[in-house]
């Protein structure tokens, strides 16, 4: 007889491992199956996020930011340092150490719930009829377990272009771009999305000539155009060359170079680079996850079809995170994991997808929650807007970070906050002021009447809220 669990989670990323911990806290006998193999050749929990995504990319963004500040902005503070050098090997080793600390930490967290620890299982899982899970271990052996409830948290993988196959030597996916062992003289990037901008920034700050080819006429189309315009100005100053409307048709490896052919409004062009990062989006990692007998359905993009409670329609089978609809974000995956574990335990569990914040960790940072003006227009919602620039905020200027702005969008009649959009220093933290206000159905007036400490960057949020009603203090209305 196969071992029976209350809950088996397939996938140990921020969706899956968080779901497993919450299920165990609620007294459910829980296992978490994960197939990922770390850089050291051993199974590693944490999924994309901890191993090759959020955490390692932020480690490199921080290292490269320190170097860029040392070589570019310290002199404004009267600080000079001659012969600044970057040791890429040491930078990558620091990143790997951080990854190891956090992936190893999950094993400890699984054991940490002493009365009812989570059972980790290394291997690739396939769901069959009757909630039976077949697991192929890394030694090739196949075993079966079963569960009253199964949570599919298989995550996502990078999309590969047919003419630019990943070899992670010349043509890189996100994992490859996090492990380059010397600063490439010329880095090409296909896709000016989140990964292209973040990882392009890392290598640009270290001295690469970075060219980003974006097929669409604009970049970050999901963000507010006032915000992306402000960010684009800064990216240009940093030397990030973003080519819009650039359709790539060929990427040929010739010796140590990659030769790209692309077309834009002015005709066909070529670009020669030393490394090419392909960051054109991700797709749900559902290949091999479901035996046809499972009855679980996929949509046209290969994502598991779920309802608003992450239920698949097959009794006891749920799905969360990057392998279902909604934004591909670690915190969204984790919130869904908690909600599903609570629903399984008979508690109310819910995720409000309307208040999931986005953050892009470029310099300046970009962040938002809620609707853009375009989305308000499309939904025929009448709205009003207040904006405020960081250049008029004392703390931002004292920090030498005057770029960017805050924009509040509120309902024209009710004044309820519909969206908060930011570009500037530390806006990854400031955006949560909007998340909290929106979760409590707050109005622009509520934000405007809250006392904000001086001098802080948060005063820009306060002033933008005042500006909704044309009463900002430190700018003309
Ligand atoms: P994943 O993290 O992808 O985990 C899924 C796990 O399931 C993997 O370990 C996989 O090996 C395993 N698996 C898949 N199929 C099976 C199977 N059949 N059997 C067993 N195991 C299986 N998001 C943010 O919110 N903030 C960021 O700053 C951020 N930065 C990012 C940077 C990069 C470079 C990338 C690539 C992504 C980034 N993301 C970020 C996105 C974030 O990583 C994902 O949204 C998040 O990891 C999704 O979590 P998940 O649990 O759904 O899936
Ligand atoms: P993305 O969807 O953010 O951007 C892909 C870009 O590539 C788009 O602008 C698209 O128009 C462009 N593109 C697509 N095909 C192209 C082609 N053939 N030629 C040129 N351009 C092309 O995807 P991504 O950057 O790969 O990131 C995937 C997802 O990972 C993100 O959407 C996000 O959900 C997640 N992520 C989040 C963070 C964060 O939260 N800070 C960081 C990294 C990744």
């Amino acid at each position: 007889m196969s071992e029976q669990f209350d809950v088996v989670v397939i996938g140990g990323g921020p969706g899956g491992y968080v779901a497993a911990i919450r299920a165990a806290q609620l007294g459910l006998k829980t296992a978490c199956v994960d197939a990922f193999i770390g850089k050291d050749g051993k199974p590693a929990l944490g999924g994309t996020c901890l191993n090759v995504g959020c955490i390692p990319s932020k480690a490199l963004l921080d290292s490269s930011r320190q170097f860029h500040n040392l070589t570019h902005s310290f002199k404004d503070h009267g600080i000079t340092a001659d012969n600044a050098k970057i040791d890429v090997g040491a930078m990558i080793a620091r990143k790997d150490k951080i990854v190891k600390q956090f992936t190893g930490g999950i094993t400890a967290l699984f054991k940490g719930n002493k009365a009812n620890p989570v059972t980790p299982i290394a291997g690739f899982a396939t769901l069959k009829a009757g909630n039976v899970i077949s697991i192929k271990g890394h030694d090739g052996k196949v075993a079966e377990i079963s569960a009253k409830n199964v949570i599919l948290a298989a995550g996502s993988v990078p999309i590969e272009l047919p003419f630019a196959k990943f070899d992670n030597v010349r043509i890189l996916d996100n994992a490859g771009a996090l492990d380059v062992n010397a600063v490439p003289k010329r880095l090409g990037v296909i896709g000016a999305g989140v990964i292209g901008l973040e990882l392009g920034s890392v290598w640009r700050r270290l001295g690469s000539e970075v060219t980003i080819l974006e097929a669409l006429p604009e970049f970050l189309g999901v963000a507010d155009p006032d915000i992306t315009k402000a960010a684009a100005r800064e990216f240009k100053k940093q030397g990030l060359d973003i080519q819009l409307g650039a359709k790539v048709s060929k990427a040929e490896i010739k010796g140590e170079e990659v030769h790209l052919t692309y077309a834009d409004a002015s005709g066909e062009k070529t670009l020669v680079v030393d490394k090419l990062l392909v960051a054109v989006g991700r797709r749900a990692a559902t290949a091999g996850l479901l035996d046809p007998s499972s009855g679980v359905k996929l949509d046209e993009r290969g994502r598991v079809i779920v309802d608003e409670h992450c239920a698949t329609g097959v009794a006891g089978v749920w799905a969360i995170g990057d392998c279902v609809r909604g934004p591909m974000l670690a915190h969204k995956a984790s919130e869904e994991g908690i909600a599903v574990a609570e629903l399984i335990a008979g508690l109310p569990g819910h995720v409000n997808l309307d208040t999931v914040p986005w953050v892009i960790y470029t310099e300046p940072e970009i962040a938002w929650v809620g609707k853009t003006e375009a989305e308000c227009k499309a939904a025929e919602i009448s709205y009003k807007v207040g904006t405020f620039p960081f250049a008029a905020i004392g703390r931002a200027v004292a920090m030498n970070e005057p770029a960017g702005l805050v924009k509040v969008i509120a309902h024209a009649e009710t004044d309820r906050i519909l969206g908060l959009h930011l570009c500037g220093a530390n806006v990854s933290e400031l955006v949560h002021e909007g998340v909290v206000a929106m979760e409590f159905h707050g109005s622009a007036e509520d934000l405007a009447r809250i006392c904000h400490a001086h001098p802080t960057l948060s005063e820009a949020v306060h002033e933008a809220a005042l500006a909704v009603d044309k009463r900002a203090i430190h700018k003309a209305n």
Side-chain angles (χ1 to χ4, degrees):
M1 257 272 295
S2 64
E3 189 171 2
Q4 164 102 28
F5 290 86
D6 293 321
V7 178
V8 169
V9 184
I10 301 181
Y17 87 76
V18 169
I21 290 172
R22 186 70 188 119
Q25 283 174 351
L26 291 164
L28 300 161
K29 184 183 172 190
T30 304
C32 179
V33 191
D34 190 87
F36 197 88
I37 296 290
K39 250 179 106 173
D40 59 2
K42 295 185 184 147
L45 289 163
T48 303
C49 171
L50 270 68
N51 287 287
V52 288
C54 323
I55 297 301
S57 60
K58 268 76 247 179
L60 296 190
L61 277 158
D62 200 62
S63 296
S64 59
R65 181 168 187 266
Q66 307 278 11
F67 182 71
H68 187 266
N69 284 346
L70 176 63
T71 50
H72 288 78
S73 41
F74 273 19
K75 62 178 183 311
D76 296 343
H77 297 270
I79 304 166
T80 48
D82 294 332
N83 298 324
K85 286 195 193 78
I86 177 82
D87 177 345
V88 176
M91 183 182 85
I92 299 287
R94 172 185 175 272
K95 178 265 296 178
D96 289 343
K97 196 172 156 210
I98 293 167
V99 167
K100 192 110 190 116
Q101 178 188 336
F102 280 88
T103 55
I106 298 172
T107 312
L109 290 172
F110 278 4
K111 288 184 193 147
N113 189 34
K114 289 195 182 67
N116 183 32
V118 176
T119 305
I121 303 174
F124 188 87
T126 302
L127 177 67
K128 304 203 300 196
N131 292 0
V132 172
I133 301 114
S134 160
I135 302 166
K136 188 172 184 192
H138 297 302
D139 56 4
K141 289 191 187 137
V142 178
E144 280 190 354
I145 56 175
S146 60
K148 289 184 200 146
N149 286 277
V150 178
I151 305 176
L152 305 170
S156 63
V157 288
I159 293 173
E160 196 167 51
L161 292 172
F163 55 81
K165 298 274 183 201
F166 298 125
D167 64 2
N168 275 340
V169 178
R170 295 279 148 212
I171 303 185
L172 314 173
D173 62 11
N174 55 287
L178 292 164
D179 261 333
V180 178
N181 55 16
V183 180
K185 186 169 178 319
R186 298 159 299 180
L187 173 70
V189 181
I190 307 185
V194 191
I195 294 179
L197 292 170
E198 287 188 357
L199 296 184
S201 294
V202 165
W203 296 104
R204 174 65 205 139
R205 291 169 190 172
L206 300 179
S208 281
E209 292 161 21
V210 177
T211 309
I212 307 184
L213 303 174
E214 167 58 51
L216 296 177
E218 60 193 5
F219 73 99
L220 289 181
V222 283
D224 186 281
D226 287 342
I227 298 299
T228 46
K229 241 182 266 158
R233 270 196 299 275
E234 300 306 311
F235 296 160
K236 197 167 177 193
K237 283 188 214 158
Q238 291 158 19
L240 265 186
D241 180 7
I242 303 175
Q243 301 286 331
L244 298 174
K247 296 195 175 59
V248 187
S249 54
K250 226 193 260 174
E252 290 174 294
I253 299 177
K254 292 188 182 170
E256 309 243 297
E257 297 175 331
V258 185
H259 291 233
L260 290 157
T261 307
Y262 68 98
D264 63 16
S266 60
E268 193 169 278
K269 293 181 176 161
T270 53
L271 174 71
V272 179
V273 294
D274 304 298
K275 302 264 184 200
L276 173 69
L277 163 62
V278 180
V280 293
R282 297 177 65 80
R283 61 178 168 76
T286 46
L289 174 68
L290 302 166
D291 185 84
S293 67
S294 72
V296 175
K297 300 265 181 304
L298 302 180
D299 69 12
E300 69 294 346
R301 288 165 61 184
R303 300 175 300 190
V304 179
I305 296 175
V306 288
D307 66 13
E308 70 273 28
H309 301 297
C310 297
T312 64
V314 174
V317 183
W318 314 75
I320 61 170
D322 277 15
C323 70
V324 303
R325 85 284 174 265
M328 288 183 164
L329 297 171
H331 40 284
K332 176 263 191 185
S334 298
E335 289 304 317
E336 286 181 336
I338 289 170
V340 166
E342 293 182 348
L343 286 167
I344 290 170
L347 299 170
H350 177 66
V351 179
N352 181 3
L353 291 180
D354 292 337
T355 53
V356 173
W358 273 84
V359 176
I360 302 169
Y361 298 81
T362 44
E363 180 96 347
E365 293 180 343
I366 296 168
W368 72 90
V369 58
K371 289 189 174 19
T372 59
E373 283 194 62
E375 285 168 338
C376 291
K377 280 184 191 134
E380 296 183 4
I381 299 169
S382 54
Y383 63 90
K384 48 193 178 169
V385 171
T387 61
F388 197 84
F390 279 109
I393 293 292
R395 182 79 192 281
V397 175
M399 288 165 63
N400 211 13
E401 302 269 15
L405 74 154
V406 177
K407 175 169 179 175
V408 174
I409 302 178
H411 194 282
E413 281 96 47
T414 66
D415 195 42
R416 186 165 160 177
I417 300 167
L418 301 170
L420 177 67
H421 304 266
L422 313 97
C423 168
N426 294 357
V427 298
S428 51
E429 307 294 341
L430 294 184
V431 69
H432 296 95
E433 194 163 343
V435 178
V436 173
M438 287 174 67
E439 278 292 342
F440 284 88
H441 297 185
S443 62
E445 180 71 13
D446 288 329
L447 266 190
R449 289 202 176 270
I450 291 169
C451 179
H452 287 69
H454 174 75
T456 64
L457 299 173
S458 74
E459 288 172 290
V461 178
H462 187 219
E463 289 272 17
L466 284 164
V468 168
D469 209 19
K470 301 204 183 330
R471 54 187 224 267
I473 301 296
H474 294 93
K475 74 162 196 177
N477 289 289

